[in-house]
Amino acid sequence: MFYVFRSIKVAFLCAGLATPLAAQILDDLPVPAGEVVLTISGAISITNNEDTAVFDLAMLQAMPVTTFVTTTVWTDGPQEFSGLELADLAAALGIEEGTLRATAINDYAVDIPVSDAVEGGPILAYSQNGAIMSVRDKGPLWIVYPYDSNAAYKSEVVYSQSIWQLDRIEVLK
Amino acid sequence: MRRLDLRNAFGRRAVPILAGVLLVAALIIGILGQSVVSDLRLLGAARSDNVQWSLSQTEVEFLELGPVIDQIVEEPAPNPVLLRDLRVKFDVFYSRISTIRKGSLYENLRANPYAASALADLQVFLDDSVPLIDGSDAELHAAAPELIARYDEARPRVRDLSVSGLRVFAVASDERREQVAATLIQLATVTAILLGVLALLALYFIGLSATSERQRRDLEEASSRMRTVIDTALDAVIVADADGRITQFNSAAEVIFGYDAKDAIGEFVGELIVPAHHQAGHAAGMKRMRTSGEKRVVGHGRVQLEARRANGEVFPVELAIQSADTASGEIFIAFLRDISHRVKAEAELVMARDRALAGEKAKAGFLAVMSHEIRTPLNGIMGNLSLLRETRLDERQARFLEDMDLSSRLLLHHVNDVLDISRLDAGKMAIEKVPVNFSSLVQDIVDTQRGAAEAAGNRLELSWLGPPLAWVSTDPVRIGQVLLNLIGNAIKFTDNGRISLECEVLFTRGEEAMTEVRVIDTGIGIPEDDIERIFEDFETRDVSYSRKSGGTGLGLGIARRIVTALGGEMGAESNPGEGSLFWVRFPLVTTQKPNEQFAIRLGVEAPATSVTPRDVLVVEDNPINRAVAREMLQSDGHRVTEAVDGAEGVRLAASHPFDLILMDISMPRMDGRQATAAIRSGLGASRDAPIVVLTANVLPEDVEGFLADGMTDALAKPLDRVALRRILGRTESPRARTLVQSPRSAVGQILDLDQFASAQDSLGQAGIELLLPRFLDEGEELVDWLLGSLAVPTIEQEVRFAIAERAHNSAGSAATFGAAALREALVSLERAAKAEHALDAHIGAIGPIWKATETALRAKLDR
């Protein structure tokens, strides 16, 4: 329970900071300077690399940060995750409906409905317990739900959607 | 009803119990259901599948490493693309193993020793390989053969991990299935129990419904019966609510009160049937009940009240009200009975009783008056006969005198008999309780009668069967009266025979000795048919029988009354021609021999022939009566002092110690009772002297009053020489209380010549010449004064008293001189004055009577 409260508190704090940035669709997506960690393709209007939107870690970190603490079935003990809320990402890219087909480095792929991307919902975590996640630690990106704060997130479907070592998202109409 | 209550009580307890059971069952089912759902979710959701997928993925990801490393080995120079691919694949595998080692999902797996061992080996492989992987491209390229070797070494361990994982999760799956099965069985069981409880509840409610249906039917029947009872009741039944508004009005009520039920219902009881003069009380009662709950009529049984009919008639009712608590508040049920007929009948009965009582009272009054009226002239006769006997008489005159004496005594006896009857019937005969030696008493009685018996040629005998009874507590005078009557009768009806008294104690109970005295004669006997009749009043055995001493026919009646008063009974047996047996049976309480001073005085006393000379004070306002008393006393050698009223009597008694005081009752200034009280309570010389009251009021209760005032004895007026002598003899011994009675004269005539002669004899010619003119002057003055008093329209109280007093006084004088009609007129005037009746007629009547009397008496005086 303690973690739940803490998670909510942090979420509010971050939401407060993030609001001005998240309020509108990005007009212009800069070209990533560092190594690309995420490629978003499919039905998107905002792109920076042909018909895809690519992000390096710095670009993601520049976007609103959401932090919460939760336990997961794949880790031992409570973990603090920080990252970009999926809802903020969808908003930034003007994605309002459809499905996000998330694919991992090892080509594991899951479909996440855009409707799942809600405030207080899943984040695109790039930091665990304050450290940037390597591939060995399920990095560079891991879709993490706040499992402890919402019992609905303790389902097999959500578990299967909690894809780690994520590097691609295709937006399907 | 009791069974019903029990059932209800059970129901009241059972429903919460069953409800509790239901709740618990529902809770258990809920918990089990949730458990089942969660189990099903576990089963359905591919938690373990997911894990197994992860495990197989481990193997897949491991196997993907092999070809890459092989390709690197075949490359002559480091190929960055291949190397990068290797690094990514290695990291993915590393991440996989790391997840399995840390994730909570894989706890069960890690608990398996084979899996744990395989994991540890794989971690070693990873840890050993990391420096190579993280090295430069050249180093990694050079280390490829070594990696191949390590990879081949680790390969079976990956396999072991995945296989042991499969086993672990298969077992876990089986366990979960069993668990779900067990939960399902539990669920089924609890559901069955729940169904059972529901079935029981259903049965219970069916039962309850049947019971309540039965109760409803019972109630309906009872209420219908009740309606019938109420409607057919003879009493009016009115039901009202707490406000007094009528809710039920039965048919009897309709008949009694004259309202239709439909009109009466809804009206207020108070306004409908309570009479106007009771409405305030009714309203107050209702208010009191509402405010304090106090009920004065409700629940207090039957009360008698008045009610009002529709036509306004007020009639008596008997009312009973009960209250009952109902769902709609307190109600009152009133039962009213029209008792106007009964009340009328009761009133008639009371009136009849009052008339009867008045008749009885009149009879008693008549008897008392009669005794007075007869005794007064009889006194004259007997007193003068006594005086006459003292004079010189020739033999013929002496014989006449004896006959007259006998006749007058007989007359006195009859009068006394009648008085006795009236006293006994009124329950006014005082029965004394004094110590008496019973055997001596009987002996004395027999002795006094022996002479009479022998005169008729009879032998009189006394015998005891068993030991004689000595001291008892009883009334010797009454017992003597009874035995004398029986012996007297026996003597009367037996000639030359034998009369025997047999006494016997039949049995004793405690101190009570049931005593029987039998008087047996050998006389003419009584026919069987007459045996009962002879005890009746005014019955004589044989009217044609020559009565030697006469009889009123009251003797046996009196005897039987006395015996009854003593608590005994009496009867007779007889064989005509052979004789009779009269028996008396009464209880006597045995007692100790008393002190000598309570010597027994028999009812029969010998005349006191020689009495020592006494100093006697005569207190009497009537000069003629005073003169008679003086003459009688002086002729017996006593010294006489006279006082004309109570006050003078008290004064004289204080200054001189008299041996005896004769005290009249009715006197001016101070009456006899007041004077007696004054003498007794004062310190005068005669304070302890015997005081004998002279009275014409001979009813026993009066005598008792006199004795209570301190008088020693009572002497009936008019005076009789024998009675006077007896009193003089008796007053020597302090206790004696029997009224000595004497006769008086007839009424109606203007001048009773006998009585006048008696006065002449008593007073002597000189006395007459002195007193008669005084009486005539007195009478003249009285009549004038009386007529004068009529001049005033209303006669005042004081005047009435004066009239009564003077009439009384003159009546005494008139009686002495034989002015019978005048006396009668004066006595009724006295009564009327005292009773505050109209006096005009009485006074008017006196005038002519006075004229006639005056003429007659003056003729006597002039002659």
Side-chain angles (χ1 to χ4, degrees):
Chain A
M1 286 303 270
F2 171 71
Y3 302 108
V4 175
F5 288 135
R6 200 170 145 210
S7 140
I8 288 167
K9 194 171 133 198
V10 173
F12 272 119
L13 264 171
C14 298
L17 286 169
T19 305
L21 288 167
Q24 57 197 29
I25 296 166
L26 291 173
D27 295 332
D28 177 42
L29 201 57
V31 176
E35 192 186 351
V36 170
V37 292
L38 178 64
T39 304
I40 298 176
S41 59
I44 50 168
S45 50
I46 299 164
T47 57
N48 58 357
N49 182 16
E50 296 176 358
D51 55 351
T52 64
V54 292
F55 298 86
D56 63 4
L57 189 60
M59 283 170 69
L60 292 174
Q61 282 173 323
M63 293 177 72
V65 182
T66 299
T67 302
F68 56 74
V69 175
T70 185
T71 58
T72 76
V73 291
W74 309 278
T75 53
D76 185 21
Q79 308 288 320
E80 186 192 76
F81 292 100
S82 294
L84 169 64
E85 201 162 53
L86 211 52
D88 288 337
L89 177 67
L93 296 176
I95 303 161
E96 287 170 358
E97 50 178 15
T99 304
L100 304 177
R101 175 162 294 166
T103 308
I105 293 170
N106 63 349
D107 298 330
Y108 172 81
V110 289
D111 286 349
I112 300 169
V114 173
S115 60
D116 273 12
V118 293
E119 202 179 317
I123 61 170
L124 209 59
Y126 41 73
S127 159
Q128 182 182 6
N129 298 327
I132 298 300
M133 293 185 288
S134 67
V135 176
R136 288 177 199 165
D137 302 322
K138 303 186 175 59
L141 295 171
W142 184 3
I143 291 184
V144 181
Y145 287 71
Y147 310 101
D148 291 347
S149 61
N150 191 339
Y153 292 149
K154 284 192 174 175
S155 72
E156 288 301 325
V157 173
V158 169
Y159 288 162
S160 70
Q161 286 169 355
S162 302
I163 182 169
W164 60 73
Q165 292 164 341
L166 171 77
D167 64 351
R168 289 156 282 169
I169 294 173
E170 188 185 355
V171 180
L172 305 172
K173 276 285 177 190
Chain B
M1 279 305 265
R2 250 190 89 200
R3 252 182 57 213
L4 217 67
D5 286 347
L6 280 175
R7 202 196 315 269
N8 283 345
F10 167 73
R12 275 195 292 276
R13 253 177 327 205
V15 168
I17 291 172
L18 287 173
V21 169
L22 272 182
L23 197 71
V24 168
L27 211 67
I28 292 172
I29 287 174
I31 292 167
L32 287 172
Q34 209 170 22
S35 171
V36 167
V37 167
S38 106
D39 284 357
L40 285 176
R41 189 180 290 157
L42 281 177
L43 278 181
R47 186 183 165 103
S48 60
D49 290 353
N50 183 307
V51 171
Q52 282 169 26
W53 186 84
S54 288
L55 284 177
S56 61
Q57 205 54 29
T58 307
E59 212 170 357
V60 167
E61 282 161 4
F62 182 75
L63 290 177
E64 279 182 355
L65 280 174
V68 179
I69 302 172
D70 285 347
Q71 281 181 355
I72 291 171
V73 170
E74 283 166 16
E75 289 286 330
N79 182 338
V81 176
L82 280 177
L83 287 175
R84 192 174 175 278
D85 191 26
L86 174 65
R87 283 189 177 105
V88 167
K89 286 191 157 72
F90 180 86
D91 284 353
V92 167
F93 180 67
Y94 189 100
S95 164
R96 179 70 64 192
I97 293 301
S98 180
T99 302
I100 291 171
R101 279 186 62 222
K102 288 176 187 159
S104 56
L105 266 180
Y106 311 99
E107 268 170 12
N108 286 345
L109 179 68
R110 289 197 296 270
N112 182 293
Y114 294 104
S117 146
L119 266 179
D121 287 352
L122 288 174
Q123 190 59 42
V124 168
F125 160 74
L126 287 173
D127 290 347
D128 288 351
S129 306
V130 162
L132 304 179
I133 296 293
D134 290 351
S136 65
D137 284 0
E139 282 166 347
L140 181 56
H141 184 79
E146 190 189 340
L147 266 176
I148 285 288
R150 285 185 186 170
Y151 175 83
D152 289 341
E153 206 177 325
R155 199 142 116 181
R157 300 310 280 156
V158 173
R159 188 78 201 150
D160 285 350
L161 178 66
S162 118
V163 168
S164 64
L166 282 174
R167 196 178 303 123
V168 164
F169 290 105
V171 170
S173 180
D174 281 354
E175 274 175 9
R176 255 196 311 275
R177 254 194 302 281
E178 274 166 26
Q179 196 181 323
V180 170
T183 307
L184 284 173
I185 288 166
Q186 280 173 4
L187 186 66
T189 310
V190 173
T191 308
I193 290 170
L194 185 68
L195 279 174
V197 170
L198 281 172
L200 277 178
L201 261 181
L203 278 177
Y204 169 72
F205 283 119
I206 288 167
L208 207 62
S209 144
T211 306
S212 82
E213 173 62 19
R214 199 162 50 243
Q215 279 175 358
R216 192 187 58 77
R217 266 204 308 273
D218 286 353
L219 265 176
E220 244 171 37
E221 273 174 35
S223 122
S224 130
R225 263 201 308 276
M226 206 60 219
R227 259 198 308 280
T228 313
V229 168
I230 286 172
D231 279 342
T232 53
L234 295 176
D235 290 349
V237 178
I238 298 176
V239 181
D241 61 16
D243 296 327
R245 211 181 275 276
I246 295 172
T247 56
Q248 237 176 302
F249 200 79
N250 75 342
S251 39
E254 291 182 324
V255 172
I256 289 174
F257 290 100
Y259 292 105
D260 278 348
K262 62 179 173 3
D263 297 333
I265 287 169
E267 294 295 319
F268 285 101
V269 172
E271 291 169 9
L272 200 68
I273 63 165
V274 175
H277 60 282
H278 284 319
Q279 272 178 2
H282 173 81
M286 290 291 289
K287 193 179 168 193
R288 185 173 55 238
M289 205 157 59
R290 268 197 295 272
T291 52
S292 68
E294 184 190 349
K295 292 169 183 167
R296 295 207 182 149
V297 178
V298 176
H300 284 75
R302 295 191 287 181
V303 290
Q304 203 165 316
L305 287 174
E306 281 179 319
R308 183 166 49 97
R309 295 191 219 277
N311 62 12
E313 183 193 341
V314 173
F315 65 105
V317 289
E318 195 170 71
L319 165 76
I321 303 188
Q322 272 300 343
S323 63
D325 284 317
T326 67
S328 54
E330 193 170 28
I331 61 164
F332 298 97
I333 306 123
F335 296 83
L336 297 111
R337 182 173 298 174
D338 182 347
I339 54 167
S340 40
H341 293 297
R342 198 178 84 192
V343 167
K344 201 173 144 205
E346 275 173 5
E348 278 166 4
L349 262 179
V350 166
M351 212 193 296
R353 189 202 59 192
D354 287 350
R355 271 203 296 270
L357 284 178
E360 278 297 309
K361 211 172 161 188
K363 187 178 138 198
F366 168 73
L367 284 169
V369 169
M370 198 182 84
S371 80
H372 182 88
E373 300 296 337
I374 295 171
R375 278 159 185 255
T376 304
L378 206 49
N379 175 58
I381 296 168
M382 294 178 79
N384 285 295
L385 284 175
S386 302
L387 294 171
L388 189 59
R389 201 178 286 114
E390 309 294 315
T391 62
R392 198 179 303 245
L393 301 168
D394 62 22
E395 199 183 326
R396 220 169 127 242
Q397 283 172 323
R399 203 175 63 243
F400 292 157
L401 185 68
E402 278 313 307
D403 285 351
M404 285 165 71
D405 193 47
L406 191 67
S407 298
S408 55
R409 282 183 195 288
L410 199 57
L411 181 56
L412 179 61
H413 181 69
H414 291 172
V415 171
N416 286 344
D417 276 359
V418 171
L419 264 180
D420 273 353
I421 290 276
S422 75
R423 286 179 206 162
L424 283 162
D425 283 352
K428 285 174 178 168
M429 167 89 68
I431 300 293
E432 280 190 280
K433 287 260 187 247
V434 295
V436 179
N437 185 320
F438 188 72
S439 75
S440 305
L441 174 69
V442 178
Q443 185 67 58
D444 286 349
I445 292 165
V446 168
D447 287 349
T448 61
Q449 295 301 303
R450 186 156 284 132
E454 282 167 0
N458 294 316
R459 210 144 42 95
L460 182 57
E461 296 167 346
L462 170 65
S463 64
W464 276 86
L465 271 68
L469 184 60
W471 288 95
V472 295
S473 177
T474 189
D475 189 329
V477 176
R478 297 303 160 202
I479 288 186
Q481 200 175 345
V482 171
L483 295 184
L484 279 174
N485 177 270
L486 294 180
I487 297 170
N489 282 344
I491 293 170
K492 248 188 269 179
F493 297 102
T494 309
D495 285 322
N496 301 316
R498 195 176 73 237
I499 297 156
S500 33
L501 248 74
E502 278 181 15
C503 303
E504 185 182 2
V505 174
L506 297 176
F507 59 86
T508 56
R509 191 165 41 209
E511 298 201 322
E512 218 172 60
M514 184 57 79
T515 310
E516 186 172 278
V517 178
R518 295 182 284 271
V519 180
I520 306 160
D521 66 52
T522 57
I524 55 169
I526 309 156
E528 202 177 336
D529 296 346
D530 294 343
I531 290 270
E532 265 311 302
R533 207 165 50 82
I534 56 168
F535 289 101
E536 287 169 14
D537 294 339
F538 303 106
E539 279 299 332
T540 52
R541 281 198 228 172
D542 182 358
V543 283
S544 65
Y545 186 78
S546 105
R547 296 175 185 174
K548 276 179 266 180
S549 50
T552 47
L554 289 171
L556 278 173
I558 292 168
R560 181 142 83 169
R561 283 175 170 86
I562 291 171
V563 171
T564 305
L566 288 169
E569 53 185 342
M570 71 185 295
E573 295 159 21
S574 185
N575 285 320
E578 291 178 25
S580 312
L581 183 154
F582 281 77
W583 56 266
V584 193
R585 205 177 289 151
F586 37 71
L588 294 169
V589 176
T590 55
T591 184
Q592 294 298 310
K593 181 183 178 182
N595 295 334
E596 276 309 311
Q597 59 179 0
F598 289 104
I600 303 311
R601 175 175 50 80
L602 293 183
V604 189
E605 279 178 288
T609 45
S610 62
V611 175
T612 48
R614 306 281 187 78
D615 212 345
V616 182
L617 173 63
V618 177
V619 187
E620 164 70 82
D621 62 325
N622 184 303
I624 293 155
N625 287 351
R626 208 160 60 225
V628 169
R630 185 186 62 223
E631 183 66 29
M632 283 182 174
L633 287 163
Q634 280 177 346
S635 67
D636 275 356
H638 303 294
R639 217 172 73 209
V640 176
T641 310
E642 295 173 43
V644 298
D645 58 34
E648 193 183 356
V650 172
R651 194 167 46 76
L652 288 170
S655 59
H656 183 82
F658 289 101
D659 294 325
L660 176 69
I661 300 170
L662 296 181
M663 180 75 75
D664 184 25
I665 285 296
S666 186
M667 287 183 292
R669 290 215 287 167
M670 183 187 274
D671 72 15
R673 301 181 73 154
Q674 290 170 317
T676 302
I679 292 168
R680 287 281 185 245
S681 63
L683 295 167
S686 298
R687 63 172 300 191
D688 295 323
I691 300 176
V692 174
V693 63
L694 300 172
T695 177
N697 302 327
V698 289
L699 288 175
E701 65 267 27
D702 294 333
V703 176
E704 287 300 318
F706 301 150
L707 296 176
D709 287 342
M711 291 172 181
T712 315
D713 217 326
L715 197 53
K717 281 207 286 188
L719 276 180
D720 161 66
R721 186 182 286 271
V722 174
L724 187 57
R725 280 178 182 163
R726 202 180 292 159
I727 282 287
L728 280 160
R730 196 192 297 169
T731 48
E732 281 177 331
S733 67
R735 75 160 297 291
R737 288 185 175 185
T738 310
L739 189 63
V740 180
Q741 295 158 341
S742 61
R744 227 176 173 180
S745 77
V747 292
Q749 299 155 271
I750 291 296
L751 185 59
D752 180 346
L753 292 174
D754 288 349
Q755 179 59 29
F756 186 79
S758 168
Q760 246 175 341
D761 288 344
S762 291
L763 302 168
Q765 192 56 37
I768 293 287
E769 281 173 13
L770 178 70
L771 294 172
L772 188 53
R774 235 168 85 182
F775 170 64
L776 291 173
D777 291 349
E778 239 179 59
E780 190 74 54
E781 194 200 341
L782 175 69
V783 171
D784 286 350
W785 178 74
L786 284 173
L787 291 169
S789 71
L790 284 182
V792 196
T794 52
I795 299 173
E796 295 193 4
Q797 192 68 17
E798 278 176 33
V799 181
R800 279 182 176 278
F801 284 146
I803 289 172
E805 197 183 310
R806 292 187 67 164
H808 176 82
N809 216 340
S810 295
S813 304
T816 302
F817 290 110
L822 178 63
R823 180 189 167 275
E824 210 174 330
L826 286 169
V827 166
S828 34
L829 173 62
E830 181 195 348
R831 286 208 193 105
K834 280 181 177 166
E836 300 183 20
H837 291 150
L839 300 179
D840 305 28
H842 289 282
I843 291 172
I846 281 175
I849 295 173
W850 168 246
K851 282 293 163 211
T853 307
E854 191 188 11
T855 311
L857 284 174
R858 281 206 191 280
K860 286 280 178 190
L861 194 59
D862 296 344
R863 200 176 54 185

